[in-house]
Amino acid sequence: MYGCFAPPYFPHTIIKQLHKGNLIANSCLSSLLRLFHRYRDLALQLVPMDYTNQPEVRLPYELIGSMPELKDNPFRQRIAEVFSEDGEGNMTLDDFLDMFSVLSEMAPQDLKAYYAFKIYDFNNDDFICKSDLEKTLNKLTCNELTEDEVRMVCEKVIDEADLDNDGRLSLEDFQHMIMRAPDFLRIKTI
Amino acid sequence: MPRRKNDVAITMDDVGMEIDAEYDSGSDVDSKRRAKGRNKPKPAARGKKAKPADSVEESEEEEEEEAPRKRKGRKKKEESEEESEEEQRGRRKKAAGTKKKKAAAKDDSEEESEEEKGNKRRGGKKGANKKEKEEENNKEKKGNGKAAGKGGKDKQDDKKNKGKNSSSSSSDDNSEDESMSEGEMARLKEDVEEKKKLIATLRNKPWRMKRRLKCLKEAQAFVEKFEGALGKGKGRRLYAFKVMMTKVLMGMPYGSIARKTVPREEQDSAMDFSVLFEFGGYCKYSIMFYGYYNYQRSIGLLQFRLPLSYLLVGLGIFGYSLMVVIRTMARNANEGGDGAEDGAFTFCWKLFTSWDFLIGNPETADNKFASTTTSFKESIVDEQENLKDENIHLQRFLRVLANLLILCCLGGSGYLIYYVVKRSQEFAKKDRNELSWLQKNEVEIVMSLLGLVCPPLFEVIAELENYHPRIALKWQLGRIFALFLGNLYTFLFALFDEVNAKLENEKEIKNETIWALKEYYANYTLYHNVTENIPPPNISPADVIRGPCWETEVGIEFVKLTVSDIQVTYLTILIGDFLRAVIVRFLNYCWCWDLEAGFPSYAEFDISGNVLGLIFNQGMIWMGAFYAPGLVGVNVLRLLSSMYYQCWAVMACNVPHERVFKASRSNNFYMGLLLLVLFLSLMPVVYTIMTLPPSFDCGPFSGKDQMYDVIMETIEKDLPPFMADIFSYASNPGLIMPAVLLMVLAIYYLNAVSKAYQNANMDLKRKMQMQRDEEKNRRNNKDSTNQVMKDLEDLLPNKSLIPPPSAEETEKPADQLSKSPKVTGKPGAAATGKGVHVQKDVSLAAANPRAPVTRPPGPRPPGPLPGNARGPPPGQGMGRGRGGPPPRR
């Protein structure tokens, strides 16, 4: 999917035109069309078949979050918010394709790291601060940990990864840390 | 003439199965020939079938009539073929006979005595055989048409009964019969096949329904009648397999020689369930155990050397297992060494990378939540343990106390087992029927109970020690392991006592047999006044005096142990997990307190305990497989069934362990235990192979002083002489000592090298840590002065437009890598506060002047950056990711 990265920004009909002009490979076309149909199947009455006029269609977060890929993900809302244009989780087709191409296996590491940072940055202040960490942790453990434990974990995380000692993680810190994670290679793919 | 005929008869029933097999192969050829011939009559028959129904019957009868005629003709041919074969064999036998004479003179070599026993038997049969044969011939002559057909059927029936009625004469009769009916069987099979084909193609025939039905019925009746006799459908393949096994690999079949026959006094109860369940009766004399295998040097056309391969496989299993375990350990060690910065980001990685984005199933998600929580708790406890410090003296005292208590437990359990095994040996001397069930199964029950009770006890005692959970788990596993092994070894020692007693017993029996043989020969010379060519005594294999065969006994003990282990495991799961879960689940509706959350709760799945169980089980297999080759099959069945059973149990009635501590990151802990078990189970087996003399009348090594004599024999007889020379040089201590020395030196050298590497590794790690700290400090000093300014600077969108200063160019490549995405990310953040928007803007506007932002800053070598091992080079990623030129593929 990732190899077909540029086309997702073009509307559906253009994809077809590109294909006619041999500008995208068959495999790309099929995966793009597959995704388009996935998108359309979420709400058949909302999404038109024809995208020539670039209609303003947004699927609400409730629909996006109910996809099997995201349904059980504790961060589904964040993912939808990060990739949606309006920041509320309501997605256009382009957002949708965008999301899948980033989450696809072939997307490069640093891109994934960047979006991971975005996802974990709950309050959108471009830093992962303590409140973000707490939220992440609680989502990840279903609020099973006590407050003390949560606090301790957050302190440890910041202690470990914060290179510039400002008490929060910048994108740089985050990338420095995450690129060394052994699990990062195989995780974060759909 | 009679002499020769006798010879034929001897070999016929002595090598019964072999002849059968040859019969079969011969008849295969035959059948082909016949099939050719048959093709002609067939169309005729088909043609007839077009006529009214009666003709079908007619043709069938015709076939039936045809059969015996052909059979007879064939039989003659076969007999002549046999004769020639037999002649050869007879010659061989004669050679053996002359040998036998010598033996009669000497009477002290066991090997020969064994052979003689067989010969005696053969000789005895001679008379009977002759008569038998004549009878047979008469029958053949008389029998024509249906009578012979019936005879064939009778034979089939005979054959079926054969397993049960084996009084000496009738067994001879049967073996004769069997060999006769083999050819017929092939024929019958062919007929059956034909009928089957008919049934299959009936639908296509342009007949009336009534006729069709009738034809079908007849054909089906025929198929059923004979297929039943031939072993139902699969007969052919199974039969081929049987022939293959017996002819090529196993030698003689069941019932042919003493070691493959149930002794007379046991025959009544040999099929009883209680006996079979304890692996007595037919089980004991089956392929499952050591005693079944014959000492015959080579079998069949392929010259398969059973004894040699038995020994080589027995030892080869150990070699192979050792290699596999050690290779796995080495690989694990390599993987373990990979994470150089292991300790640096534990919590971060747990927090940011533990979610698997591939999860798409609510149950899996729940499990993942639980495991993530546990792993966090684990790390938290780790962290807290680091901070803790307590009264060291009290701690030490408690630990010593705990270890003392556990040693007492271990010793006690060892003694208990020794005592019980001794007792069971006392019981074994008594009559089986007098013993109660408890007395019979005491050893297994006690061992299983110890295995059930001791581990929880250890856990309670371990509370005293107050170790860190991970270390505590290792201790716990080590102790359970010691318990198992101790029990196993006491069991083994008790078994060795028994084996020694059996060896004594065996000597007596051997002398008795030799004495009986001597007597027989003396008598024979006395009555018949011949000194040469004395036929061996006529004793049915069931009546032969036989030794205790300690190898089979040991094998049986191991199989029993394994089976009782299976039972206990399954019962524990059924009662301890399933019943408990049911009670907790359904009694919870009407109970005073919350059963699910409170006291009994659901059973936890004990990963480490189960792994340990597997390891222990493997050890038993390693130990037992030499004396009970069938144990491997039993174990495979056990593993397969327990996989599904435990899978069900875990999913249905277990909850995850509250505090799962992985015993070790790379699992080398378990592999180490496995290696230890392998070594410990290798020792007794190799000891017995090397020191104890094998039984004289059972197993592939009977008649040898030592089991490894087989190898010597092979080297001497089968390999060219220079190989023998080479081996003799190689086994010279003068050569072995330097080789061992060399190996020790090599180990020492490699060890030293690995130590050096380790040190270097540590040094590098320390340096990296130092550098990191330094950098941190530097930034601190620089930034702490005006943090605000720095933040503003970061927020400035223009920053990304400025080509990076040359200083940055010289920085670490890793830094560059991590910086470039930031460069693209920041402007978005600064412009709108929402990265996605800008992200989108940038990418949409491919021709936008801002586009160059996404390119790698400054001049950069086109290839991947040095040191940037992970991920693609950033430039490429950016180019594609953020609105680079439209699609390249």
Side-chain angles (χ1 to χ4, degrees):
Chain A
M1 178 59 210
Y2 177 74
C4 324
F5 199 46
Y9 299 107
F10 298 108
H12 185 56
T13 39
I14 302 184
I15 296 175
K16 280 198 167 165
Q17 283 165 13
L18 284 173
H19 183 240
K20 269 182 201 152
N22 271 338
L23 284 172
I24 48 177
N26 276 330
S27 58
C28 281
L29 182 75
S30 67
S31 61
L32 286 175
L33 285 182
R34 186 170 51 86
L35 278 179
F36 171 70
H37 285 296
R38 295 272 330 254
Y39 181 72
R40 197 161 168 269
D41 285 345
L42 289 176
L44 282 174
Q45 70 280 20
L46 278 181
V47 186
M49 234 359 237
D50 184 17
Y51 255 69
T52 329
N53 305 326
Q54 308 199 355
E56 274 288 309
V57 178
R58 284 171 198 280
L59 292 191
Y61 162 71
E62 286 73 29
L63 285 177
I64 301 286
S66 66
M67 290 176 64
E69 283 89 346
L70 294 176
K71 189 163 49 75
D72 300 304
N73 197 320
F75 304 113
R76 57 183 176 276
Q77 187 158 11
R78 269 310 289 170
I79 292 175
E81 279 171 18
V82 163
F83 285 101
S84 64
E85 208 172 343
D86 61 358
E88 309 261 303
N90 307 323
M91 295 185 119
T92 62
L93 176 61
D94 292 349
D95 296 335
F96 189 77
L97 295 177
D98 206 3
M99 175 172 81
F100 271 90
S101 64
V102 169
L103 292 176
S104 91
E105 217 166 327
M106 276 134 66
Q109 287 281 308
D110 46 4
L111 189 71
K112 283 188 177 188
Y114 171 77
Y115 275 99
F117 181 78
K118 285 269 158 215
I119 289 169
Y120 292 128
D121 179 17
F122 280 83
N123 52 12
N124 293 327
D125 64 351
D126 287 313
F127 286 99
I128 295 180
C129 54
K130 272 199 176 165
S131 67
D132 296 329
L133 288 176
E134 277 168 22
K135 271 186 194 159
T136 312
L137 189 59
N138 283 333
K139 277 192 188 298
L140 206 56
T141 59
C142 285
N143 299 319
E144 290 273 324
L145 296 180
T146 62
E147 255 177 55
D148 278 350
E149 285 169 332
V150 170
R151 190 151 21 86
M152 190 188 145
V153 170
C154 294
E155 271 167 22
K156 284 299 291 181
V157 167
I158 291 196
D159 185 40
E160 279 171 6
D162 185 19
L163 289 180
D164 45 14
N165 268 357
D166 56 356
R168 50 190 188 170
L169 305 185
S170 64
L171 179 62
E172 196 183 337
D173 297 334
F174 185 77
Q175 282 182 328
H176 177 255
M177 177 271 299
I178 205 99
M179 287 302 190
R180 283 160 181 74
D183 288 341
F184 188 66
L185 258 177
R186 59 178 186 81
I187 274 166
K188 285 266 168 193
T189 57
I190 284 186
Chain B
M1 158 64 199
R3 168 90 207 105
R4 205 174 131 211
K5 190 161 188 192
N6 280 348
D7 251 344
V8 173
I10 288 168
T11 32
M12 281 272 274
D13 72 55
D14 185 67
V15 220
M17 202 54 209
E18 253 174 284
I19 292 176
D20 290 351
E22 265 146 28
Y23 247 115
D24 187 58
S25 63
S27 70
D28 265 359
V29 178
D30 247 35
S31 68
K32 264 181 219 157
R33 217 181 301 148
R34 221 176 327 134
K36 259 189 225 160
R38 243 166 186 261
N39 278 345
K40 266 175 251 163
K42 219 189 259 173
R46 286 265 159 84
K48 264 186 222 161
K49 268 167 201 164
K51 281 188 237 161
D54 291 9
S55 70
V56 177
E57 267 182 324
E58 225 174 273
S59 74
E60 233 185 289
E61 256 175 48
E62 222 175 69
E63 270 178 26
E64 289 243 21
E65 271 173 9
E66 224 171 62
R69 253 178 276 146
K70 269 192 184 166
R71 230 177 279 153
K72 239 191 273 172
R74 210 157 23 88
K75 189 160 258 169
K76 260 176 206 157
K77 209 190 303 159
E78 269 168 12
E79 231 161 25
S80 65
E81 273 174 20
E82 245 169 65
E83 212 90 290
S84 58
E85 285 241 324
E86 251 44 279
E87 250 176 43
Q88 292 175 358
R89 227 172 262 145
R91 255 173 254 143
R92 236 185 287 151
K93 278 279 133 71
K94 264 181 220 158
T98 51
K99 212 170 160 194
K100 179 182 63 193
K101 266 177 269 155
K102 275 179 215 161
K106 279 182 194 168
D107 254 352
D108 52 357
S109 153
E110 328 155 8
E111 192 183 341
E112 255 130 273
S113 79
E114 161 71 9
E115 193 183 328
E116 257 158 19
K117 255 199 301 175
N119 280 350
K120 271 186 202 170
R121 200 159 27 85
R122 285 175 221 144
K125 274 174 208 158
K126 239 197 268 177
N129 273 329
K130 211 155 84 183
K131 233 199 290 172
E132 207 67 48
K133 240 194 163 165
E134 271 167 21
E135 262 176 37
E136 199 76 21
N137 284 342
N138 286 344
K139 220 201 256 172
E140 292 288 322
K141 271 172 211 158
K142 262 185 269 163
N144 57 11
K146 276 180 189 174
K150 258 183 214 161
K153 251 182 277 166
D154 287 351
K155 275 173 210 166
Q156 297 292 337
D157 291 349
D158 264 6
K159 204 197 154 203
K160 263 205 237 166
N161 291 337
K162 189 203 139 204
K164 280 157 210 166
N165 66 346
S166 49
S167 68
S168 62
S169 66
S170 80
S171 79
D172 292 348
D173 182 52
N174 280 333
S175 64
E176 182 88 312
D177 252 0
E178 203 185 2
S179 58
M180 287 299 167
S181 59
E182 285 298 338
E184 287 175 7
M185 259 171 79
R187 221 196 85 86
L188 272 176
K189 255 175 224 157
E190 208 174 81
D191 287 350
V192 167
E193 285 302 311
E194 209 170 274
K195 290 283 173 198
K196 269 190 189 164
K197 213 188 279 169
L198 179 68
I199 293 173
T201 54
L202 202 60
R203 194 176 287 222
N204 304 332
K205 297 227 156 78
W207 296 346
R208 292 205 167 261
M209 191 46 102
K210 204 178 163 192
R211 245 196 81 195
R212 270 195 220 179
L213 275 179
K214 191 168 180 187
C215 192
L216 181 70
K217 254 183 211 162
E218 276 160 11
Q220 270 178 341
F222 182 84
V223 168
E224 233 162 72
K225 193 163 74 186
F226 288 102
E227 203 171 49
L230 297 176
K232 208 75 184 171
K234 275 179 247 158
R236 179 105 211 146
R237 210 171 295 162
L238 216 93
Y239 177 73
F241 178 70
K242 195 177 136 203
V243 168
M244 154 84 185
M245 283 299 278
T246 47
K247 186 179 168 189
V248 182
L249 298 180
M250 283 304 161
M252 294 175 226
Y254 174 84
S256 54
I257 47 174
R259 69 188 65 185
K260 298 185 181 185
T261 315
V262 180
R264 175 102 38 225
E265 64 267 24
E266 287 177 27
Q267 260 174 13
D268 300 331
S269 61
M271 242 357 229
D272 291 358
F273 179 71
S274 63
V275 175
L276 285 182
F277 196 65
E278 286 173 5
F279 298 95
Y282 283 110
C283 268
K284 190 174 168 185
Y285 300 95
S286 73
I287 201 168
M288 261 187 89
F289 293 108
Y290 172 93
Y292 178 85
Y293 300 88
N294 200 358
Y295 67 104
Q296 197 181 0
R297 247 191 102 224
S298 58
I299 296 169
L301 290 171
L302 297 178
Q303 297 286 302
F304 176 62
R305 299 187 193 313
L306 180 68
L308 180 68
S309 38
Y310 196 102
L311 186 72
L312 289 186
V313 167
L315 294 178
I317 286 175
F318 286 118
Y320 179 73
S321 308
L322 263 178
M323 214 174 67
V324 168
V325 171
I326 288 181
R327 270 181 64 103
T328 315
M329 280 181 81
R331 207 173 48 228
N332 279 347
N334 276 345
E335 271 171 19
D338 179 51
E341 277 183 288
D342 249 358
F345 294 120
T346 336
F347 280 94
C348 285
W349 288 344
K350 279 216 170 94
L351 187 62
F352 293 125
T353 67
S354 60
W355 185 260
D356 190 339
F357 276 58
L358 288 171
I359 289 173
N361 174 340
E363 237 176 76
T364 324
D366 278 350
N367 286 345
K368 189 74 193 174
F369 284 131
S371 90
T372 316
T373 312
T374 356
S375 87
F376 267 114
K377 281 190 175 158
E378 190 178 320
S379 305
I380 290 167
V381 173
D382 265 357
E383 211 47 49
Q384 282 166 350
E385 292 286 327
N386 285 345
L387 303 175
K388 223 195 291 186
D389 63 337
E390 275 166 2
N391 185 347
I392 258 187
H393 295 291
L394 180 69
Q395 198 66 269
R396 271 184 195 153
F397 169 72
L398 283 178
R399 282 177 189 178
V400 169
L401 184 70
N403 279 319
L404 264 180
L405 284 176
I406 281 169
L407 273 183
C408 289
C409 283
L410 288 178
S413 78
Y415 177 74
L416 192 63
I417 285 179
Y418 191 77
Y419 175 74
V420 172
V421 172
K422 279 284 164 199
R423 238 165 77 106
S424 82
Q425 283 162 13
E426 299 278 309
F427 288 142
K429 283 171 195 154
K430 289 186 197 161
D431 186 21
R432 273 184 45 88
N433 299 326
E434 285 173 20
L435 300 177
S436 65
W437 178 83
L438 197 70
Q439 281 171 326
K440 271 190 257 177
N441 297 299
E442 214 172 36
V443 182
E444 285 81 19
I445 293 174
V446 166
M447 282 185 81
S448 311
L449 274 184
L450 280 176
L452 273 185
V453 172
C454 282
L457 192 68
F458 290 166
E459 211 160 325
V460 172
I461 295 174
E463 294 278 305
L464 283 178
E465 294 177 310
N466 213 356
Y467 275 124
H468 176 276
R470 187 175 292 133
I471 301 170
L473 180 74
K474 278 193 181 177
W475 274 98
Q476 168 78 357
L477 289 180
R479 279 164 189 162
I480 297 174
F481 188 71
L483 172 82
F484 279 159
L485 266 188
N487 293 355
L488 199 63
Y489 257 68
T490 7
F491 174 76
L492 267 185
F493 281 125
L495 217 60
F496 268 125
D497 285 354
E498 206 182 329
V499 165
N500 284 331
K502 287 238 159 86
L503 280 175
E504 290 296 314
N505 187 7
E506 194 188 80
K507 261 180 211 158
E508 283 170 26
I509 291 178
K510 206 161 104 186
N511 286 338
E512 262 173 46
T513 6
I514 294 172
W515 185 246
L517 264 183
K518 252 192 209 165
E519 238 170 38
Y520 166 80
Y521 282 117
N523 285 339
Y524 197 92
T525 348
L526 208 65
Y527 288 122
H528 297 78
N529 221 357
V530 275
T531 46
E532 290 198 344
N533 280 336
I534 298 175
N538 171 27
I539 306 175
S540 136
D543 291 327
V544 175
I545 309 168
R546 51 182 91 191
C549 196
W550 60 269
E551 291 97 336
T552 298
E553 292 299 325
V554 173
I556 288 180
E557 288 300 326
F558 273 108
V559 177
K560 268 157 91 175
L561 205 63
T562 310
V563 169
S564 79
D565 188 39
I566 298 173
Q567 287 165 347
V568 170
T569 320
Y570 283 19
L571 279 182
T572 323
I573 290 175
L574 205 62
I575 295 171
D577 291 355
F578 180 62
L579 214 64
R580 181 168 160 188
V582 167
I583 289 174
V584 167
R585 177 81 181 77
F586 291 105
L587 235 58
N588 203 24
Y589 295 123
C590 49
W591 202 258
C592 316
W593 68 84
D594 189 2
L595 283 173
E596 284 183 342
F599 160 58
S601 180
Y602 295 106
E604 288 174 344
F605 184 67
D606 181 13
I607 300 175
S608 42
N610 275 299
V611 175
L612 210 60
L614 277 180
I615 291 175
F616 182 64
N617 177 50
Q618 186 56 47
M620 278 203 304
I621 304 306
W622 272 325
M623 254 193 248
F626 188 76
Y627 296 117
L631 189 59
V632 180
V634 173
N635 194 44
V636 168
L637 285 184
R638 177 233 172 107
L639 290 179
L640 269 182
S641 62
S642 93
M643 178 174 78
Y644 289 109
Y645 182 54
Q646 291 207 320
C647 177
W648 163 77
V650 166
M651 295 312 255
C653 31
N654 278 6
V655 290
H657 210 285
E658 201 178 328
R659 274 164 49 159
V660 180
F661 276 87
K662 289 178 211 141
S664 148
R665 188 171 288 270
S666 56
N667 290 329
N668 258 358
F669 179 70
Y670 291 111
M671 291 313 275
L673 287 186
L674 193 63
L675 190 68
L676 190 64
V677 164
L678 176 58
F679 183 69
L680 288 177
S681 51
L682 185 147
M683 277 205 306
V685 175
V686 172
Y687 172 77
T688 49
I689 289 177
M690 285 300 166
T691 56
L692 294 183
S695 300
F696 76 102
D697 65 342
C698 69
F701 310 111
S702 53
K704 306 244 179 343
D705 289 336
Q706 295 294 341
M707 292 184 186
Y708 56 81
D709 282 353
V710 182
I711 298 179
M712 305 291 162
E713 197 184 69
T714 311
I715 291 174
E716 272 170 28
K717 293 190 183 166
D718 293 342
L719 296 180
F722 73 90
M723 289 294 279
D725 283 348
I726 291 176
F727 275 107
S728 70
Y729 288 136
S731 59
N732 190 345
L735 214 63
I736 290 178
M737 285 303 287
V740 170
L741 206 65
L742 192 70
M743 273 199 271
V744 169
L745 287 179
I747 290 173
Y748 176 77
Y749 170 73
L750 289 178
N751 201 21
V753 167
S754 84
K755 278 256 172 62
Y757 282 142
Q758 221 166 6
N759 280 340
N761 220 344
M762 290 296 287
D763 266 358
L764 286 176
K765 228 187 250 183
R766 213 177 301 129
K767 262 182 203 160
M768 272 166 69
Q769 181 68 30
M770 266 166 60
Q771 204 165 8
R772 204 182 123 193
D773 288 349
E774 211 171 277
E775 197 174 328
K776 218 172 179 177
N777 285 341
R778 192 156 50 86
R779 272 169 196 261
N780 262 349
N781 294 340
K782 191 177 74 186
D783 294 342
S784 59
T785 45
N786 51 356
Q787 180 72 38
V788 188
M789 259 323 277
K790 199 210 166 226
D791 283 355
L792 281 177
E793 224 175 75
D794 272 350
L795 289 172
L796 271 178
N798 286 344
K799 190 189 171 191
S800 57
L801 288 173
I802 307 164
S806 56
E808 219 165 314
E809 207 57 33
T810 56
E811 266 186 32
K812 288 188 297 180
D815 230 327
Q816 276 176 357
L817 171 66
S818 57
K819 208 150 266 177
S820 34
K822 176 186 177 180
V823 173
T824 48
K826 287 285 166 174
T832 62
K834 286 199 178 112
V836 192
H837 285 243
V838 172
Q839 174 64 28
K840 198 158 164 49
D841 288 347
V842 170
S843 39
L844 268 177
N848 196 300
R850 274 198 283 167
V853 171
T854 61
R855 296 221 184 94
R860 202 178 270 186
L865 294 163
N868 177 19
R870 282 181 194 186
Q876 190 197 359
M878 293 302 112
R880 268 204 226 154
R882 315 279 147 82
R888 269 163 239 165
R889 45 182 176 121

